[in-house]
Amino acid sequence: MKEIKEYSLLIMSLCIIVFFTECKSNSSPGEIVFIENGKIKLGFEKETGKFISFSDVGHSYEFIERNMVKGLPWEVNFHSSSAGSESSSGIFPTKFSFSKSNELTLNLEWEGFEGMKELKVKAEVSLDPDKALSYWSIKAEGIKGNLIKSIDFPRIQGIKNLGDEELAIPTWMGSLVKNPRESLAASNAKVKRWSWSYPGSLSMQLIALYNPNLTGFYASCNDSLSFAKDFAVTLDTLNTLEYKMINYPTFDSTLTSYHSSYKAIIGSFKGDWITAAELYREWGTKQKWCDNSRLKNELSPSWLDSTALWIWNRGKSDNVLTPAVELKQKLGLPVNVFWHWWHHCSYDDYFPEYFPPREGRKSFKNAVKSAQEEGVRCIVYMNSIQWGDSSGSWKTEGAQPYSVKDINGKMRSHAYNIFTGNSLTNMCMATEFWKNKYSSLCDSAVNVYQTNGVYMDQACLSRMCFDKSHGHKIGGGNYWVENFGNLTQQIRATVSDKTQPILAGEGSGENWIPYLDAFLTLPVSRERYAGVTNTETIPFFQAVYHEYALTYGSYSSLVTPPYDELWPKEYAPKETEQLLDADFNKQFLMEQARAFVWGMQPTIANYHSFLNSERAEEINYLLDIAKLRYQALKYLLYGEFCRSPQIDYPEEEIKISKLSIYAGRKGKSVTTFNKKVSLLYSGTWKAKDNSVGIALASISDDTLPVHFSINSEDYKLSDKGKIYIRTTNGKELLGSYSNGLINVEISLQPKGICIVEIVPSV
């Protein structure tokens, strides 16, 4: 009887799509119920509960094209396990009611669903008393006997074109899309839609769509417990956007109701992505992930903070540690190593068969010890979730039962290795089997082979798992991040402190701030893997969490990529790690300039000593950045992100190379783009002592005059103080300021870097 009840209402994969096809499209003001706080005004249709009005009161702007709103502000999607193709059917409520708890809070209720008489959907929408923000929560009752795949809420349709739009998304580091509707319209997909997962590809819970000269649409969430959800935007045929947050309840037919433990946030703002970051930062930095930040609480070993430069090389120790020691001697500051392809198995193939190291146990240990004696530390690559299902250990260790299963009970596998075609399969973070396996690998890497830590590839991702045997909630929930935290705790309890090991991870994410010591943020080199598009990398994550999370990394390289010696010989290129064409040198400079002014630890990929002569100008630029940054850690490591002053940025068209990080992509060579880029980069940081540092980096071949003016009150400084300039040659006084007006006028030498310091009087 239970199964009959569960599926009799659902044909195959049934999705409840709730909308009213006969509703009037031109409602008069008397047919709308409003709530308003003097900053924003929200309106719902009295007859149906459709969300048909969202006004920015201060800027007299209406975000929603009322005629384009066809559905309710929510959608419940049920799942059927019946075999066959998916189909959907509309189930309509016959009754809608509303009430006001107070002048800022509206309660909405839908009921009377044909065939599902117990179902009730309730929503509460309240306005912030002081800000242009609203808070949305939802509850679905009477759902027992049904499997909920997702609940889309809030669902906001008919978002007008703001004109000159920009869309800011915190995709790990951050992306800024110019003219997003144009990009969506150009997609070949049947449904013109973008979606991003959290926790995972979204490092924070927000997106911002805005015209910097008009107003902006702000969509966020205040989930402090890391529940699985997606954020999505869809373009319809009439060029209006739909935004929705997709919530994932536990996949359990015995549940009688679902009530989100967090609230969605919808608001408006005037400004740009930095304004949105500042708005989010007010909430984000008050959460437990910042309270427990390893950087902020000085829980990471001091050598990590003191790292002046990372080398990201691959292969055996003579191709990795030896050049690092040489560069450390040349730089005169700490250089450390981010080490791939040290392991026994070929890359992206037979993970986690990492041991013994491919060059042999004795050689590896001796090389690590020798490098450490020279002051060079190394962290080694080990993927945090993948097991090669073609490997011998997959069968001998019985890994399959502990892998992630999707909603249909299938494993999540993907062939990253295009040469062998062998796939890697996701392991479930919530299983003791995988936590024990991975912590034992870290035990070997640190305790046996004496490395200085582990780089946990694919760390800042999460998966929903539907395997009931794993002991976690099925489907949606927050078990992934919780268990990642348990894994890192287990690792740290297992490994010795002798080598002062760290745990670094791929990407960035607010949820992982208490668990990882460093975050690899590679979008600083986005063009190398994505080419030139209308999407630009922005330091969105750093703008919110810089002083709580250490970021490093770059694909920035001056040579062609390597090829794993364990991959098939027939695909190996004739030469690897040879000089890239000098036309791409400015791309390298641009990447290093970005990383410098965005407060990241600098990194060079595939470094070799011959670059000191063959690409002397570029290597010296990198070394100067490392030296200057080292003098200014109070800004560039521990400082808070601030908006930079308005500066005239000259531009130049340069050559851009798009090339896989691995050579030999079955005959594919460098793809070349032309891109107009800035010749001057800036980043502004406020130190704990209340001084402000403005980092400037030129990639121009000419001297650049730099002039800007700022008001001290914009940075909460006293109205008088001194202005200094810091270069690799030291620090000197430029002048002083008074009456709150700060004027700076300097000349940057070709490819010059500096930090302008504003030191207020006490």
Side-chain angles (χ1 to χ4, degrees):
M1 292 295 293
K2 177 182 176 184
E3 289 189 5
I4 293 174
K5 180 181 178 182
E6 185 170 337
Y7 299 114
S8 62
L9 300 176
L10 307 172
I11 303 173
M12 300 180 186
S13 297
L14 180 62
C15 171
I16 289 187
I17 306 173
V18 184
F19 60 91
F20 294 82
T21 58
E22 301 300 327
C23 289
K24 298 177 181 179
S25 60
N26 295 312
S27 301
S28 65
E31 294 174 310
I32 305 175
V33 57
F34 288 104
I35 50 175
E36 179 181 358
N37 65 356
K39 298 182 183 296
I40 56 174
K41 183 178 181 180
L42 310 185
F44 295 81
E45 191 173 61
K46 286 186 176 181
E47 183 180 358
T48 66
K50 290 194 298 184
F51 183 52
I52 58 175
S53 179
F54 175 26
S55 300
D56 181 328
V57 176
H59 299 96
S60 301
Y61 185 82
E62 172 60 58
F63 285 98
I64 294 178
E65 182 65 52
R66 189 176 307 174
N67 294 340
M68 297 304 299
V69 180
K70 304 301 181 184
L72 293 178
W74 56 268
E75 185 174 339
V76 180
N77 301 296
F78 287 90
H79 175 77
S80 168
S81 62
S82 302
S85 60
E86 293 188 359
S87 62
S88 63
S89 175
I91 296 181
F92 312 105
T94 58
K95 183 179 179 181
F96 168 70
S97 60
F98 66 88
S99 63
K100 286 187 175 183
S101 303
N102 52 60
E103 62 180 7
L104 297 180
T105 303
L106 184 64
N107 300 294
L108 312 166
E109 183 173 334
W110 295 263
E111 56 185 324
F113 295 88
E114 184 179 354
M116 298 190 71
K117 295 181 180 180
E118 301 298 317
L119 179 63
K120 291 183 180 179
V121 178
K122 300 178 180 180
E124 180 186 275
V125 181
S126 61
L127 299 180
D128 191 288
D130 303 311
K131 301 175 183 177
L133 300 175
S134 61
Y135 306 96
W136 302 54
S137 61
I138 191 169
K139 184 175 184 179
E141 298 177 341
I143 62 173
K144 188 174 182 179
N146 298 289
L147 289 170
I148 295 181
K149 185 177 179 181
S150 65
I151 296 180
D152 303 345
F153 178 83
R155 180 175 176 236
I156 299 175
Q157 297 181 313
I159 301 174
K160 296 177 182 177
N161 193 330
L162 293 160
D164 295 323
E165 283 180 326
E166 297 180 353
L167 177 65
I169 321 109
T171 44
W172 276 351
M173 190 166 173
S175 299
L176 185 66
V177 184
K178 301 289 184 69
N179 303 311
R181 294 174 204 250
E182 182 179 308
S183 295
L184 273 169
S187 169
N188 292 324
K190 183 176 180 181
V191 178
K192 313 295 187 182
R193 178 184 174 192
W194 290 327
S195 65
W196 307 275
S197 297
Y198 175 91
S201 59
L202 283 189
S203 59
M204 303 179 287
Q205 304 168 78
L206 80 155
I207 66 170
L209 176 73
Y210 60 87
N211 177 334
N213 300 311
L214 182 61
T215 187
F217 174 83
Y218 178 88
S220 181
C221 181
N222 64 3
D223 174 17
S224 63
L225 299 176
S226 306
F227 280 87
K229 64 184 71 67
D230 288 352
F231 291 71
V233 293
T234 305
L235 184 71
D236 63 28
T237 56
L238 295 178
N239 206 41
T240 63
L241 281 179
E242 175 187 304
Y243 161 77
K244 62 183 176 182
M245 188 171 77
I246 305 169
N247 309 273
Y248 294 101
T250 300
F251 198 64
D252 185 353
S253 62
T254 68
L255 294 179
T256 58
S257 65
Y258 165 77
H259 185 199
S260 61
S261 61
Y262 48 81
K263 294 184 178 181
I265 300 171
I266 301 295
S268 67
F269 69 100
K270 174 66 182 297
D272 55 14
W273 66 268
I274 298 176
T275 314
E278 291 169 343
L279 184 59
Y280 188 82
R281 187 166 64 193
E282 291 182 27
W283 174 81
T285 54
K286 295 174 184 176
Q287 304 313 306
K288 64 178 182 179
W289 43 66
C290 286
D291 291 340
N292 298 320
S293 159
R294 294 187 62 79
L295 175 62
K296 195 75 170 181
N297 291 307
E298 300 180 353
L299 297 175
S300 301
S302 59
W303 69 261
L304 176 61
D305 290 17
S306 300
T307 300
L309 179 62
W310 287 96
I311 287 182
W312 182 5
N313 279 21
R314 298 166 174 80
K316 296 175 183 176
S317 57
D318 59 355
N319 196 56
V320 178
L321 298 179
T322 301
V325 170
E326 294 172 355
L327 190 60
K328 191 246 181 188
Q329 293 170 348
K330 180 178 177 65
L331 176 62
L333 292 172
V335 172
N336 294 312
V337 167
F338 173 40
W339 192 353
H340 279 46
W341 302 3
W342 60 275
H343 39 74
H344 180 74
C345 60
S346 66
Y347 187 70
D348 276 347
D349 203 345
Y350 293 142
F351 297 163
E353 297 178 356
Y354 299 113
F355 299 100
R358 64 179 59 182
E359 68 183 82
R361 175 179 178 138
K362 184 176 180 180
S363 174
F364 183 92
K365 291 181 69 173
N366 287 340
V368 168
K369 181 179 179 182
S370 296
Q372 290 168 342
E373 289 173 348
E374 296 290 338
V376 172
R377 294 173 171 85
C378 64
I379 61 173
V380 292
Y381 174 101
M382 292 197 300
N383 195 292
S384 67
I385 61 171
Q386 303 284 13
W387 200 312
D389 50 35
S390 297
S391 66
S393 59
W394 174 262
K395 291 183 178 180
T396 59
E397 297 188 39
Q400 191 275 341
Y402 309 99
S403 62
V404 171
K405 309 301 189 306
D406 67 16
I407 200 168
N408 296 311
K410 297 181 179 180
M411 296 188 304
R412 286 189 59 129
S413 302
H414 181 77
Y416 295 91
N417 193 321
I418 66 169
F419 307 113
T420 67
N422 293 332
S423 59
L424 299 176
T425 293
N426 291 186
M427 300 302 293
C428 182
M429 188 65 65
T431 62
E432 293 305 310
F433 174 87
W434 179 246
K435 288 196 287 286
N436 290 338
K437 175 64 178 178
Y438 198 83
S439 62
S440 72
L441 295 170
C442 294
D443 178 5
S444 295
V446 175
N447 293 339
V448 177
Y449 291 95
Q450 297 293 296
T451 68
N452 302 101
V454 173
Y455 165 72
M456 304 174 70
D457 195 25
Q458 296 187 307
C460 296
L461 291 173
S462 68
R463 302 289 189 236
M464 288 194 296
C465 179
F466 294 81
D467 192 322
K468 296 180 180 179
S469 70
H470 290 177
H472 57 72
K473 290 185 177 181
I474 306 306
N478 63 346
Y479 49 85
W480 193 274
V481 172
E482 178 183 344
N483 279 280
F484 186 92
N486 294 339
L487 171 60
T488 58
Q489 185 177 18
Q490 184 172 334
I491 292 169
R492 290 190 169 100
T494 301
V495 301
S496 167
D497 290 334
K498 179 181 177 181
T499 63
Q500 298 178 296
I502 67 166
L503 296 177
E506 181 189 17
S508 54
E510 60 192 8
N511 324 80
W512 285 270
I513 289 174
Y515 308 130
L516 293 173
D517 299 286
F519 296 87
L520 181 73
T521 44
L522 295 175
V524 71
S525 299
R526 186 179 191 278
E527 291 85 356
R528 286 191 191 257
Y529 59 84
V532 174
T533 68
N534 69 335
T535 299
E536 295 287 338
T537 296
I538 53 174
F540 213 173
F541 182 75
Q542 287 90 339
V544 176
Y545 291 121
H546 179 259
E547 72 255 57
Y548 298 94
L550 187 152
T551 57
Y552 78 107
S554 172
Y555 283 131
S556 189
S557 178
L558 293 163
V559 300
T560 59
Y563 183 87
D564 191 341
E565 62 185 356
L566 300 182
W567 286 338
K569 303 299 182 186
E570 61 266 30
Y571 299 122
K574 292 181 180 179
E575 294 181 332
T576 62
E577 302 193 81
Q578 302 299 304
L579 283 173
L580 280 168
D581 194 291
D583 285 347
F584 302 123
N585 287 353
K586 274 202 173 170
Q587 180 181 8
F588 176 88
L589 298 179
M590 175 185 70
E591 293 166 322
Q592 297 299 340
R594 284 173 173 171
F596 169 62
V597 303
W598 290 348
M600 300 170 61
Q601 286 186 334
T603 303
I604 181 173
N606 308 319
Y607 168 79
H608 298 286
S609 57
F610 67 80
L611 293 172
N612 293 319
S613 57
E614 297 296 331
R615 293 290 183 264
E617 190 172 52
E618 289 68 36
I619 293 298
N620 288 335
Y621 186 81
L622 171 61
L623 299 185
D624 283 347
I625 278 177
K627 291 174 184 176
L628 182 57
R629 182 185 177 278
Y630 209 74
Q631 297 177 31
L633 295 183
K634 71 176 184 177
Y635 304 118
L636 297 175
L637 177 60
Y638 304 114
E640 178 182 306
F641 180 95
C642 300
R643 183 184 295 276
S644 286
Q646 287 291 113
I647 304 174
D648 182 23
Y649 296 112
E651 293 184 327
E652 178 182 294
E653 190 172 88
I654 68 170
K655 295 288 185 182
I656 295 291
S657 64
K658 177 187 175 185
L659 180 63
S660 167
I661 58 170
Y662 314 124
R665 286 285 174 173
K666 295 189 176 181
K668 293 183 179 179
S669 58
V670 177
T671 302
T672 303
F673 296 86
N674 292 323
K675 182 177 182 179
K676 185 172 284 188
V677 303
S678 175
L679 294 176
L680 179 65
Y681 296 84
S682 68
T684 300
W685 306 91
K686 190 171 185 180
K688 293 181 181 68
D689 64 7
N690 210 38
S691 60
V692 170
I694 303 170
L696 299 171
S698 167
I699 64 170
S700 175
D701 298 324
D702 302 315
T703 298
L704 292 181
V706 179
H707 175 263
F708 59 88
S709 298
I710 57 177
N711 291 313
S712 62
E713 62 183 22
D714 292 338
Y715 297 90
K716 298 180 181 178
L717 305 176
S718 61
D719 62 0
K720 60 181 180 179
K722 296 187 181 298
I723 307 169
Y724 297 89
I725 185 169
R726 185 184 292 272
T727 67
T728 54
N729 295 322
K731 178 178 175 180
E732 64 179 83
L733 181 67
L734 273 181
S736 60
Y737 73 92
S738 60
N739 300 319
L741 184 60
I742 303 168
N743 289 306
V744 174
E745 190 166 353
I746 59 174
S747 291
L748 271 182
Q749 296 300 310
K751 300 180 180 64
I753 59 172
C754 73
I755 295 176
V756 175
E757 297 189 50
I758 314 297
V759 181
S761 299
V762 179

mmCIF file of all heavy atoms in Angstrom, residues 123 176 199 208 211 235 248 258 383 411 437 440 508 568 636 639 709 746 755:
data_model
loop_
_atom_site.group_PDB
_atom_site.id
_atom_site.type_symbol
_atom_site.label_atom_id
_atom_site.label_comp_id
_atom_site.label_asym_id
_atom_site.label_seq_id
_atom_site.Cartn_x
_atom_site.Cartn_y
_atom_site.Cartn_z
ATOM 1 N N ALA A 123 4.899 29.981 3.073
ATOM 2 C CA ALA A 123 6.099 30.810 2.934
ATOM 3 C C ALA A 123 5.970 32.036 3.815
ATOM 4 O O ALA A 123 4.860 32.550 4.036
ATOM 5 C CB ALA A 123 6.306 31.230 1.484
ATOM 6 N N LEU A 176 33.050 37.621 -13.254
ATOM 7 C CA LEU A 176 32.225 38.756 -13.632
ATOM 8 C C LEU A 176 31.866 38.594 -15.102
ATOM 9 O O LEU A 176 32.741 38.594 -15.971
ATOM 10 C CB LEU A 176 32.973 40.071 -13.404
ATOM 11 C CG LEU A 176 32.165 41.347 -13.645
ATOM 12 C CD1 LEU A 176 31.037 41.478 -12.619
ATOM 13 C CD2 LEU A 176 33.059 42.570 -13.596
ATOM 14 N N PRO A 199 27.510 23.847 -1.133
ATOM 15 C CA PRO A 199 28.923 24.218 -1.166
ATOM 16 C C PRO A 199 29.608 23.526 -2.341
ATOM 17 O O PRO A 199 29.295 22.393 -2.657
ATOM 18 C CB PRO A 199 29.460 23.685 0.159
ATOM 19 C CG PRO A 199 28.270 23.310 0.987
ATOM 20 C CD PRO A 199 27.195 22.972 0.015
ATOM 21 N N ALA A 208 24.992 38.481 -7.851
ATOM 22 C CA ALA A 208 24.595 39.881 -7.954
ATOM 23 C C ALA A 208 24.488 40.253 -9.422
ATOM 24 O O ALA A 208 25.447 40.102 -10.183
ATOM 25 C CB ALA A 208 25.600 40.785 -7.241
ATOM 26 N N ASN A 211 23.410 46.948 -12.854
ATOM 27 C CA ASN A 211 23.932 48.009 -13.700
ATOM 28 C C ASN A 211 24.584 48.997 -12.737
ATOM 29 O O ASN A 211 23.890 49.599 -11.915
ATOM 30 C CB ASN A 211 22.804 48.679 -14.488
ATOM 31 C CG ASN A 211 23.271 49.848 -15.333
ATOM 32 O OD1 ASN A 211 24.272 50.495 -15.041
ATOM 33 N ND2 ASN A 211 22.528 50.157 -16.381
ATOM 34 N N LEU A 235 17.194 32.227 -18.857
ATOM 35 C CA LEU A 235 16.733 33.256 -19.782
ATOM 36 C C LEU A 235 15.571 32.711 -20.594
ATOM 37 O O LEU A 235 15.656 31.626 -21.177
ATOM 38 C CB LEU A 235 17.869 33.673 -20.717
ATOM 39 C CG LEU A 235 17.567 34.814 -21.692
ATOM 40 C CD1 LEU A 235 17.451 36.133 -20.949
ATOM 41 C CD2 LEU A 235 18.658 34.891 -22.766
ATOM 42 N N TYR A 248 17.600 21.222 -1.470
ATOM 43 C CA TYR A 248 17.564 19.764 -1.551
ATOM 44 C C TYR A 248 17.243 19.162 -0.180
ATOM 45 O O TYR A 248 18.138 18.962 0.647
ATOM 46 C CB TYR A 248 18.894 19.231 -2.070
ATOM 47 C CG TYR A 248 19.170 19.634 -3.495
ATOM 48 C CD1 TYR A 248 20.030 20.687 -3.792
ATOM 49 C CD2 TYR A 248 18.542 18.979 -4.554
ATOM 50 C CE1 TYR A 248 20.282 21.066 -5.101
ATOM 51 C CE2 TYR A 248 18.784 19.353 -5.872
ATOM 52 C CZ TYR A 248 19.642 20.395 -6.129
ATOM 53 O OH TYR A 248 19.882 20.777 -7.442
ATOM 54 N N TYR A 258 8.861 19.498 5.296
ATOM 55 C CA TYR A 258 10.194 20.050 5.079
ATOM 56 C C TYR A 258 10.156 21.530 5.417
ATOM 57 O O TYR A 258 9.258 22.262 4.990
ATOM 58 C CB TYR A 258 10.649 19.885 3.630
ATOM 59 C CG TYR A 258 11.848 20.751 3.290
ATOM 60 C CD1 TYR A 258 13.120 20.381 3.714
ATOM 61 C CD2 TYR A 258 11.710 21.937 2.581
ATOM 62 C CE1 TYR A 258 14.231 21.169 3.432
ATOM 63 C CE2 TYR A 258 12.816 22.740 2.291
ATOM 64 C CZ TYR A 258 14.072 22.357 2.715
ATOM 65 O OH TYR A 258 15.156 23.148 2.450
ATOM 66 N N ASN A 383 44.440 13.354 -4.415
ATOM 67 C CA ASN A 383 43.045 13.727 -4.633
ATOM 68 C C ASN A 383 42.195 13.338 -3.430
ATOM 69 O O ASN A 383 42.314 12.227 -2.911
ATOM 70 C CB ASN A 383 42.517 13.052 -5.897
ATOM 71 C CG ASN A 383 41.222 13.683 -6.375
ATOM 72 O OD1 ASN A 383 40.188 13.570 -5.729
ATOM 73 N ND2 ASN A 383 41.287 14.354 -7.505
ATOM 74 N N MET A 411 27.036 5.105 -9.706
ATOM 75 C CA MET A 411 28.248 5.767 -9.241
ATOM 76 C C MET A 411 28.495 7.055 -10.039
ATOM 77 O O MET A 411 28.106 7.154 -11.202
ATOM 78 C CB MET A 411 29.456 4.851 -9.382
ATOM 79 C CG MET A 411 29.408 3.599 -8.541
ATOM 80 S SD MET A 411 30.966 2.669 -8.572
ATOM 81 C CE MET A 411 31.206 2.384 -10.325
ATOM 82 N N LYS A 437 40.802 5.509 4.827
ATOM 83 C CA LYS A 437 41.727 5.317 3.715
ATOM 84 C C LYS A 437 42.548 6.575 3.470
ATOM 85 O O LYS A 437 43.787 6.522 3.357
ATOM 86 C CB LYS A 437 40.948 4.945 2.441
ATOM 87 C CG LYS A 437 41.797 4.829 1.180
ATOM 88 C CD LYS A 437 42.807 3.699 1.270
ATOM 89 C CE LYS A 437 43.595 3.574 -0.025
ATOM 90 N NZ LYS A 437 44.616 2.498 0.060
ATOM 91 N N SER A 440 45.032 7.450 6.181
ATOM 92 C CA SER A 440 46.198 6.557 6.158
ATOM 93 C C SER A 440 47.188 6.981 5.078
ATOM 94 O O SER A 440 48.408 6.849 5.243
ATOM 95 C CB SER A 440 45.752 5.105 5.947
ATOM 96 O OG SER A 440 45.307 4.888 4.624
ATOM 97 N N SER A 508 38.257 27.439 -3.406
ATOM 98 C CA SER A 508 38.070 28.175 -2.164
ATOM 99 C C SER A 508 36.612 28.044 -1.775
ATOM 100 O O SER A 508 35.747 27.795 -2.612
ATOM 101 C CB SER A 508 38.443 29.659 -2.338
ATOM 102 O OG SER A 508 37.743 30.238 -3.429
ATOM 103 N N PRO A 568 50.458 6.969 -21.840
ATOM 104 C CA PRO A 568 50.843 6.244 -23.068
ATOM 105 C C PRO A 568 51.877 7.006 -23.891
ATOM 106 O O PRO A 568 51.730 8.201 -24.154
ATOM 107 C CB PRO A 568 49.507 6.126 -23.815
ATOM 108 C CG PRO A 568 48.474 6.137 -22.735
ATOM 109 C CD PRO A 568 48.997 7.093 -21.708
ATOM 110 N N LEU A 636 48.994 42.519 2.497
ATOM 111 C CA LEU A 636 48.751 41.544 1.432
ATOM 112 C C LEU A 636 48.527 40.125 1.925
ATOM 113 O O LEU A 636 48.148 39.254 1.143
ATOM 114 C CB LEU A 636 49.898 41.584 0.431
ATOM 115 C CG LEU A 636 50.037 42.927 -0.295
ATOM 116 C CD1 LEU A 636 51.271 42.937 -1.182
ATOM 117 C CD2 LEU A 636 48.797 43.244 -1.111
ATOM 118 N N GLY A 639 45.619 41.752 5.647
ATOM 119 C CA GLY A 639 44.773 42.932 5.519
ATOM 120 C C GLY A 639 43.367 42.625 5.041
ATOM 121 O O GLY A 639 43.072 41.572 4.483
ATOM 122 N N SER A 709 43.180 60.602 -6.089
ATOM 123 C CA SER A 709 42.788 61.314 -4.871
ATOM 124 C C SER A 709 41.734 60.492 -4.144
ATOM 125 O O SER A 709 40.834 59.923 -4.772
ATOM 126 C CB SER A 709 42.217 62.696 -5.199
ATOM 127 O OG SER A 709 43.179 63.500 -5.840
ATOM 128 N N ILE A 746 52.631 59.821 -8.604
ATOM 129 C CA ILE A 746 53.918 59.147 -8.739
ATOM 130 C C ILE A 746 54.103 58.722 -10.195
ATOM 131 O O ILE A 746 53.171 58.775 -10.996
ATOM 132 C CB ILE A 746 54.025 57.906 -7.836
ATOM 133 C CG1 ILE A 746 52.913 56.900 -8.183
ATOM 134 C CG2 ILE A 746 53.976 58.278 -6.366
ATOM 135 C CD1 ILE A 746 53.025 55.581 -7.437
ATOM 136 N N ILE A 755 53.966 49.886 -3.376
ATOM 137 C CA ILE A 755 52.825 49.967 -2.464
ATOM 138 C C ILE A 755 52.796 51.375 -1.890
ATOM 139 O O ILE A 755 53.783 51.843 -1.295
ATOM 140 C CB ILE A 755 52.919 48.932 -1.336
ATOM 141 C CG1 ILE A 755 52.835 47.519 -1.914
ATOM 142 C CG2 ILE A 755 51.797 49.138 -0.317
ATOM 143 C CD1 ILE A 755 53.021 46.416 -0.906
#
